[in-house]
Amino acid sequence: MFSDPPRRAPFTFSVSVEWLLCLCCLFWVLVVNRPFFKAALAGRELAEASSWGFALALGTGLVAAHALLLAPWCNRHTTKPLLALLIVATAIAGHFTTYLGAYLDPSMLRNTLRTDVQEAIELFSWAMLPNLLLFGALPLLVLWRAQLRRQPWPRALGLRLAFIALMALLLVGSMWAIYQPLASLMRNHKEMRYLITPANFIWSGLNVATTDLRAQAGPRKPIGEDAAPGPGWATQHKPRLLVLVVGETARAANWGLNGYARATTPELAAAPLISFQDVTSCGTNTEVSLPCMFAPVGRRDYDEARIRGSQSLLHVLARAGVAVSWLDNQSGCKGVCEGLPTSTLIDAAPAGPCAAGRCLDEGLMSGVERALARALPDAGTQLLVLHQLGSHGPSYFRRYPPAFARFQPSCQHDDLRRCSREEIVNAYDNTLLYTDHVLAQLLAKLREQSGVDAALVYVSDHGESLGENNLYLHGIPYAIAPDVQKKVPMLMWLSDGFAAASGLNLECLKQRATQPAAHDHLFHTLLALLDVRTGLYEPEWDLGAGCRQATTVVPAGKP
């Protein structure tokens, strides 16, 4: 008597691990990689057979490459969980690359992973739902109904080896067929590889993980161990306070003090300060720019591993006796204030302008008031760093109170695609108008202090794209990033007493402000302003070096 073969559940299909893997890779290449193919085929005539041949070979190679990447990790038990995770992640990644023009390189992925909860909520808007349903939920449904075939392990091993060999042949063959145009394309546009999904976030994730593991293997390398107070400390008659405001996502193109047609900085325009007109950031996102601007060597000799594995300017200053503190209204100091007094605005001023886990930047005034209260009895030198929420997108309309909604109509959505470019620019300009007000308040507070020599320095961490060339937000790889993501505002104000103690000719400094500057100048300029001696100091990177009447900073061990 023969038993009936086991019946499959309705709406299911039987498939091997290899075929299921191929189907997923083919789906990703054809559906999610539109930005990559658009970039790869730019400048080619689609009516020509060679363009179609190039696209076919490129697509075949991508399918084979993804299959080879995943095949070693797939068996009957791991395939479906692994593919399910990648399907969801790929649908999300595809949304950002397609609609925001994002490149998922290691710095962008690190920036995404370190984003705080509030920022993440704003990025994950309802606009993502269609993508998740079509490119996530639907493939998950198909994956759920797939039944993987059971096979004896010798046969399964043989099939897997044959599959890997076939994919390797397809990859080599397709790449050989288009080697010359592909080599030229990737040599001239290396950043394009970060549009290949899901390989982009898999590679970048592994890169970030290994880099972070190496950084965690030991303490940060000390720098500036020779740091010591300069001669001006001995003759200091008043306590000194330097407030450094690290701006967020303010771009120079829309900064009123830099010649923008709109009055986005009306209050600062009436203040006696120095505005630097051509300042270049070290990165296009906070994760890169923040550690870089506090490092002795920034973009000019960029070494991410060295920067992340070393202490920052703040540790050098603290070692010399400067009382350093950090007040944060963003997503943290990215390691530059590690081990130093640090607080968040929502914890330090819960009664201030805070709601739903997020504070407006006016609350940062509380940090200045506490620093001033400490200054008079201590009579020392302080550096207070204020990290703004600033103009962080995409929810620009959440960054300012209603009184600063001057430019109308303004975008009132987390999903920028629901707004016209005019509405996006209006909302963004309103954030700058509010930043102008916050900085003017801080400056007024410092100017009224007669018992403290005070100074204020402001510089944004990076800029922002507002729809130009169909790019939004920031984080484009530095080599191809537009100037609007790299050119940032910077300003400086010194009280008469602080300027005299620093030996600075302010008229000369105003002339220096018309020349190019960069985040690379910040480290050495602040060393000089706070009169700290160390061998790390490089006069050519001190913005005030040519305007100092008497040298206040001499590298340790040098005459």
Side-chain angles (χ1 to χ4, degrees):
M1 190 173 189
F2 299 97
S3 59
D4 293 332
R7 298 180 62 184
R8 291 200 302 266
F11 307 109
T12 61
F13 61 98
S14 177
V15 67
S16 68
V17 169
E18 291 76 18
W19 269 112
L20 185 61
L21 193 55
C22 269
L23 287 173
C24 270
C25 293
L26 182 63
F27 173 78
W28 290 328
V29 169
L30 292 179
V31 177
V32 187
N33 278 275
R34 287 170 292 168
F36 173 75
F37 281 103
K38 181 180 178 181
L41 296 173
R44 289 179 172 269
E45 292 293 335
L46 296 183
E48 295 180 359
S50 61
S51 298
W52 288 94
F54 180 80
L56 178 61
L58 192 57
T60 301
L62 289 183
V63 171
H66 280 100
L68 284 172
L69 178 65
L70 298 176
W73 315 104
C74 291
N75 57 43
R76 196 167 60 83
H77 302 288
T78 63
T79 298
K80 292 179 77 170
L82 177 61
L83 291 180
L85 179 64
L86 287 176
I87 284 170
V88 175
T90 300
I92 295 171
H95 172 81
F96 290 121
T97 56
T98 301
Y99 297 109
L100 297 178
Y103 288 72
L104 297 182
D105 63 348
S107 69
M108 172 62 85
L109 194 66
R110 178 180 281 109
N111 198 51
T112 302
L113 294 173
R114 302 286 171 79
T115 294
D116 63 31
V117 175
Q118 292 298 321
E119 289 177 11
I121 290 173
E122 293 168 2
L123 287 170
F124 285 78
S125 65
W126 287 106
M128 192 180 289
L129 187 59
N131 253 46
L132 288 178
L133 290 175
L134 188 59
F135 305 139
L138 188 58
L140 283 177
L141 179 62
V142 175
L143 181 66
W144 176 50
R145 304 312 294 168
Q147 291 186 345
L148 295 178
R149 295 175 189 149
R150 295 173 178 269
Q151 294 176 338
W153 74 264
R155 176 177 172 78
L157 179 60
L159 287 173
R160 181 58 51 83
L161 293 176
F163 175 76
I164 291 174
L166 176 61
M167 292 299 107
L169 284 173
L170 283 175
L171 177 60
V172 173
S174 59
M175 295 300 100
W176 177 82
I178 57 172
Y179 176 76
Q180 289 297 340
L182 181 63
S184 176
L185 181 69
M186 299 310 291
R187 182 168 54 250
N188 295 324
H189 303 282
K190 294 180 181 179
E191 70 285 344
M192 197 180 295
R193 61 192 172 187
Y194 294 116
L195 292 174
I196 302 173
T197 310
N200 50 6
F201 67 77
I202 294 174
W203 164 258
S204 296
L206 292 173
N207 182 283
V208 169
T210 54
T211 302
D212 287 354
L213 283 174
R214 284 198 299 267
Q216 294 171 7
R220 291 176 181 268
K221 181 181 178 181
I223 62 172
E225 294 183 283
D226 59 342
W233 287 49
T235 58
Q236 184 173 315
H237 300 295
K238 294 180 181 180
R240 281 188 295 180
L241 170 63
L242 193 156
V243 178
L244 170 64
V245 181
V246 178
E248 171 63 39
T249 322
R251 72 184 209 173
N254 291 50
W255 191 247
L257 292 177
N258 283 31
Y260 184 47
R262 279 179 167 173
T264 52
T265 56
E267 295 185 56
L268 291 175
L273 50 79
I274 299 170
S275 177
F276 291 78
Q277 298 296 303
D278 184 9
V279 181
T280 304
S281 68
C282 187
T284 61
N285 60 64
T286 307
E287 278 290 333
V288 171
S289 280
L290 209 55
C292 185
M293 71 169 69
F294 286 95
V297 178
R299 175 54 59 178
R300 66 189 185 276
D301 188 19
Y302 187 69
D303 184 336
E304 181 179 356
R306 182 175 64 176
I307 289 174
R308 293 188 180 279
S310 302
Q311 292 180 342
S312 75
L313 166 68
L314 304 186
H315 299 94
V316 177
L317 296 173
R319 187 170 287 119
V322 178
V324 177
S325 58
W326 182 288
L327 179 57
D328 201 273
N329 194 29
Q330 240 272 359
S331 55
C333 70
K334 314 304 179 186
V336 302
C337 63
E338 185 178 286
L340 298 171
T342 308
S343 59
T344 62
L345 182 54
I346 198 164
D347 292 331
C354 303
R358 179 66 81 195
C359 299
L360 294 175
D361 283 332
E362 281 180 278
L364 294 171
M365 182 66 73
S366 63
V368 176
E369 291 170 348
R370 287 195 300 273
L372 289 170
R374 288 193 300 266
L376 292 175
D378 290 349
T381 299
Q382 290 187 70
L383 171 66
L384 169 64
V385 185
L386 304 177
H387 190 195
Q388 279 190 299
L389 177 59
S391 303
H392 198 287
S395 305
Y396 304 121
F397 69 100
R398 302 183 192 275
R399 307 297 179 240
Y400 53 87
F404 291 87
R406 180 177 303 174
F407 303 111
Q408 294 294 334
S410 61
C411 182
Q412 299 293 304
H413 300 286
D414 296 329
D415 177 13
L416 296 178
R417 292 183 303 144
R418 297 176 61 183
C419 301
S420 68
R421 184 158 187 274
E422 178 191 8
E423 291 171 331
I424 293 170
V425 172
N426 285 342
Y428 180 82
D429 284 352
N430 288 335
T431 68
L432 296 184
L433 193 67
Y434 181 56
T435 291
D436 168 74
H437 175 68
V438 171
L439 293 176
Q441 275 193 318
L442 293 174
L443 181 55
K445 187 70 175 178
L446 295 176
R447 289 179 68 189
E448 70 184 23
Q449 304 302 314
S450 59
V452 177
D453 288 336
L456 173 69
V457 176
Y458 166 83
V459 62
S460 181
D461 60 350
H462 55 78
E464 185 88 328
S465 286
L466 301 176
E468 301 92 349
N469 301 314
N470 205 32
L471 294 177
Y472 295 90
L473 305 180
H474 51 266
I476 297 295
Y478 198 85
I480 63 165
D483 277 352
V484 290
Q485 293 194 25
K486 295 190 289 189
K487 294 295 183 178
V488 295
M490 178 177 176
L491 58 84
M492 188 181 297
W493 171 84
L494 287 77
S495 69
D496 292 340
F498 203 109
S502 301
L504 279 174
N505 181 322
L506 296 184
E507 289 303 316
C508 172
L509 193 58
K510 286 180 182 178
Q511 291 300 314
R512 175 62 182 86
T514 63
Q515 302 170 24
H519 276 169
D520 289 28
H521 288 94
L522 187 68
F523 186 99
H524 307 280
T525 301
L526 291 187
L527 280 177
L529 286 176
L530 293 169
D531 192 14
V532 170
R533 290 190 173 199
T534 170
L536 294 174
Y537 173 71
E538 299 178 52
E540 61 271 27
W541 290 99
D542 172 9
L543 290 171
C547 299
R548 194 164 288 110
Q549 297 166 350
T551 302
T552 58
V553 176
V554 179
K558 298 181 182 181

